[in-house]
Amino acid sequence: MDLIYLLDLIGTFVFAISGIRIASRINMDVFGASVVGFVTAIGGGTVRDLLLDSHPITWMADMTYPLVILAAVPFTFLMGKRLNNYSKTIFIFDTIGIALFTIIGMEKALSFGFNPFIAGMMGMISAVVGGVTRDVLCREVPLIFRKEIYATACLAGAIIFYLGLELSLPENLNYLFTTAV
Amino acid sequence: MDLIYLLDLIGTFVFAISGIRIASRINMDVFGASVVGFVTAIGGGTVRDLLLDSHPITWMADMTYPLVILAAVPFTFLMGKRLNNYSKTIFIFDTIGIALFTIIGMEKALSFGFNPFIAGMMGMISAVVGGVTRDVLCREVPLIFRKEIYATACLAGAIIFYLGLELSLPENLNYLFTTAV
Amino acid sequence: MDLIYLLDLIGTFVFAISGIRIASRINMDVFGASVVGFVTAIGGGTVRDLLLDSHPITWMADMTYPLVILAAVPFTFLMGKRLNNYSKTIFIFDTIGIALFTIIGMEKALSFGFNPFIAGMMGMISAVVGGVTRDVLCREVPLIFRKEIYATACLAGAIIFYLGLELSLPENLNYLFTTAV
């Protein structure tokens, strides 16, 4: 349980960074960038919780999530120039976040009694809605629709995770394995 | 009841096709097009169910909807060139879907005890949210805002359906009549 | 209580006007403009109610809101040319609405038992989601991200309102004071 929670926070942090970076690039001010970072980080989980009728929404009940996102704002601006040197940084951030959120979304949907197909969709929704909303707000064609690799990773993660569950792998090992893929 | 359900599935199918076609036209890959098709098909019903606090969301409780949408993907790509010959196809698909979804949304809202005005709005929301989301994702000005005919059809459908209810027309006849308009 | 309600209706009216005006400017027809006006006016409150799991959604339970929005349509079109003479009108409308909706959103979240930070976020969501959705539908870069003044006003309103609560100011005085700021 602790590892899942930690991974979720890391995913939230990297998603917030990706939102803040893209918003900054189109010259939004620091407030606008923070809002986009926030929406990117919690958008997927929020829609997942609304669809599952799971209340209160995760980030409204646990202040750690908003604080992690707030921490991402100065972090991103302070790291700014150094992050720019790594052109693939945002891509990697996004991919890690997508894998983590897919797993967590699936698990939550399964715990609500939905079948594996719907759980896989909830996983994907958790993973991609934040990034899609970020891209709509920044008037980009959503990245998920241009980079097949994301979707494939996300789908593969879901399938591997489910197979892992079926095979009764130790749960934490399963998380690490899925994320590695 | 059977007829309503069948009409709902047909509406879902044609909405998915319209989403897949528009996404393909702006060069999204097959995964992106499938996502847009899915959102187009279930977006309106999902927002309606969330607003009505009707859980589980229709397509999450009945696998027929996701399967119908998945079936629309190969269908649209296989039919691709032939569909292109009919320039009005997408327009007709959209109009049929809008009429069907308006009726179903109204009926659901009325069954939840809302008044006819709110029910009419739920009908419109069921009918247009999917298409609007499709157009936002594909960065088009939403079709509903450019083609008055859609909105008019939708509104007319709602009014006729309500009058039909008041006049105690046989229910199935009422559905057919409204859709015909 | 009466004053809060009246302010809420005024905020709804001015938000609807801002939506209708922006939609008209990009040549949407009267139906499209009405939809944008509606979404601008009720978008923030709707998302707030969904996140708080507060059902029925405010405007679905109280017909006054839809009627106020409907009234804004002929008002905006009749006033059209005169409104154009005042280039800052839309800016002022938006700012008033944002301050009012922030306060109402905060108060509702506090009454649901959320902490002041989350309440502040619910206030902001109530205030900005409508305008952001309006700008996305009209394919503008959301105004909130370009005009720091909005966000600052919104944040300041939230803090002042909370301080006011803490200091046990008479409630109606507090509302007026926050809105004035």
Side-chain angles (χ1 to χ4, degrees):
Chain A
M1 189 55 199
D2 282 342
L3 179 59
I4 303 172
Y5 186 61
L6 184 65
L7 291 176
D8 200 8
L9 292 177
I10 293 173
T12 302
F13 190 68
V14 295
F15 261 50
I17 290 173
S18 91
I20 295 162
R21 276 170 59 84
I22 291 184
S24 302
R25 201 179 298 155
I26 61 166
N27 298 317
M28 281 192 191
D29 60 44
V30 64
F31 179 82
S34 304
V35 170
V36 174
F38 206 92
V39 170
T40 308
I42 54 90
T46 302
V47 171
R48 174 201 65 207
D49 285 353
L50 289 175
L51 292 175
L52 294 174
D53 200 21
S54 163
H55 291 279
I57 308 294
T58 310
W59 61 268
M60 290 169 66
D62 179 353
M63 286 300 291
T64 315
Y65 292 94
L67 292 175
V68 161
I69 296 167
L70 284 181
V73 178
F75 176 85
T76 309
F77 282 104
L78 289 174
M79 290 292 287
K81 290 180 180 166
R82 267 164 290 177
L83 287 177
N84 279 334
N85 293 336
Y86 306 91
S87 63
K88 293 183 181 173
T89 307
I90 208 169
F91 178 81
I92 293 169
F93 278 174
D94 240 31
T95 308
I96 294 173
I98 282 175
L100 296 174
F101 284 18
T102 301
I103 299 168
I104 293 162
M106 282 189 73
E107 187 180 62
K108 189 157 189 175
L110 290 172
S111 79
F112 270 70
F114 286 99
N115 66 44
F117 182 88
I118 295 293
M121 294 204 58
M122 289 300 114
M124 271 193 268
I125 286 170
S126 308
V128 307
V129 167
V132 169
T133 310
R134 172 197 66 205
D135 293 342
V136 166
L137 290 177
C138 296
R139 310 218 305 170
E140 311 250 334
V141 169
L143 203 56
I144 183 88
F145 302 144
R146 287 175 292 150
K147 298 277 184 188
E148 209 168 44
I149 183 71
Y150 286 90
T152 313
C154 174
L155 203 63
I159 292 168
I160 289 166
F161 178 69
Y162 184 65
L163 288 179
L165 277 186
E166 290 292 297
L167 297 170
S168 303
L169 282 181
E171 194 166 79
N172 285 347
L173 179 65
N174 195 6
Y175 278 107
L176 284 174
F177 184 57
T178 311
T179 309
V181 173
Chain B
M1 189 56 199
D2 283 341
L3 179 60
I4 304 172
Y5 186 61
L6 184 66
L7 291 175
D8 201 8
L9 292 177
I10 293 172
T12 301
F13 190 68
V14 295
F15 261 50
I17 290 172
S18 91
I20 295 162
R21 276 171 58 85
I22 291 184
S24 303
R25 200 180 298 157
I26 61 165
N27 297 316
M28 282 193 190
D29 59 45
V30 65
F31 180 82
S34 303
V35 170
V36 174
F38 205 93
V39 170
T40 308
I42 55 90
T46 303
V47 171
R48 174 201 66 207
D49 285 353
L50 288 175
L51 291 176
L52 294 175
D53 200 22
S54 164
H55 291 278
I57 308 295
T58 309
W59 60 269
M60 290 169 66
D62 180 353
M63 286 299 292
T64 315
Y65 293 95
L67 292 175
V68 161
I69 296 168
L70 285 181
V73 178
F75 177 85
T76 309
F77 283 103
L78 288 174
M79 290 293 285
K81 290 181 179 165
R82 267 163 291 177
L83 287 177
N84 279 335
N85 294 336
Y86 306 92
S87 63
K88 292 183 180 172
T89 307
I90 206 168
F91 177 81
I92 293 168
F93 278 175
D94 240 31
T95 308
I96 295 173
I98 281 174
L100 296 175
F101 284 20
T102 302
I103 299 167
I104 293 161
M106 281 190 73
E107 185 179 63
K108 188 157 191 177
L110 289 172
S111 79
F112 270 69
F114 286 98
N115 65 45
F117 181 88
I118 295 292
M121 295 205 57
M122 291 299 114
M124 271 194 268
I125 285 170
S126 308
V128 307
V129 167
V132 169
T133 309
R134 172 198 67 206
D135 293 341
V136 166
L137 290 177
C138 297
R139 311 217 305 170
E140 310 250 333
V141 169
L143 202 56
I144 182 89
F145 301 144
R146 286 175 291 149
K147 298 278 184 190
E148 209 167 44
I149 182 71
Y150 286 91
T152 314
C154 173
L155 204 62
I159 292 166
I160 289 166
F161 179 69
Y162 184 65
L163 288 178
L165 278 185
E166 291 292 297
L167 296 170
S168 304
L169 282 180
E171 195 165 78
N172 284 348
L173 179 66
N174 194 8
Y175 278 106
L176 283 174
F177 183 57
T178 310
T179 308
V181 173
Chain C
M1 190 56 199
D2 282 343
L3 180 59
I4 304 173
Y5 186 62
L6 184 66
L7 291 175
D8 200 10
L9 291 177
I10 294 172
T12 301
F13 190 67
V14 294
F15 261 51
I17 291 172
S18 92
I20 296 161
R21 276 171 58 84
I22 291 184
S24 303
R25 200 179 300 156
I26 61 166
N27 298 318
M28 282 192 190
D29 59 44
V30 64
F31 179 83
S34 304
V35 170
V36 174
F38 206 93
V39 170
T40 308
I42 54 91
T46 303
V47 171
R48 175 201 65 207
D49 285 352
L50 289 176
L51 290 176
L52 294 175
D53 200 21
S54 165
H55 291 279
I57 308 295
T58 308
W59 61 268
M60 291 169 64
D62 180 352
M63 286 300 291
T64 316
Y65 292 95
L67 292 175
V68 161
I69 296 168
L70 284 181
V73 178
F75 177 85
T76 309
F77 282 103
L78 289 174
M79 290 292 286
K81 289 180 179 165
R82 267 163 290 177
L83 287 177
N84 278 334
N85 293 335
Y86 307 92
S87 63
K88 293 183 179 173
T89 308
I90 206 168
F91 177 82
I92 293 168
F93 279 174
D94 239 31
T95 308
I96 294 172
I98 282 175
L100 295 175
F101 284 17
T102 302
I103 299 167
I104 293 161
M106 282 190 73
E107 186 179 64
K108 188 156 190 177
L110 289 172
S111 79
F112 270 70
F114 286 99
N115 65 46
F117 182 88
I118 295 294
M121 294 204 58
M122 289 301 113
M124 270 193 268
I125 286 169
S126 308
V128 307
V129 167
V132 169
T133 310
R134 172 198 66 206
D135 293 341
V136 166
L137 290 176
C138 296
R139 310 219 305 171
E140 309 251 332
V141 169
L143 203 55
I144 182 88
F145 302 144
R146 285 176 292 148
K147 297 279 184 189
E148 208 168 45
I149 183 70
Y150 286 90
T152 314
C154 173
L155 203 64
I159 292 168
I160 289 165
F161 179 70
Y162 185 66
L163 289 178
L165 277 186
E166 291 291 298
L167 297 169
S168 304
L169 282 180
E171 195 165 78
N172 285 348
L173 179 66
N174 195 9
Y175 278 105
L176 283 174
F177 184 57
T178 310
T179 309
V181 172

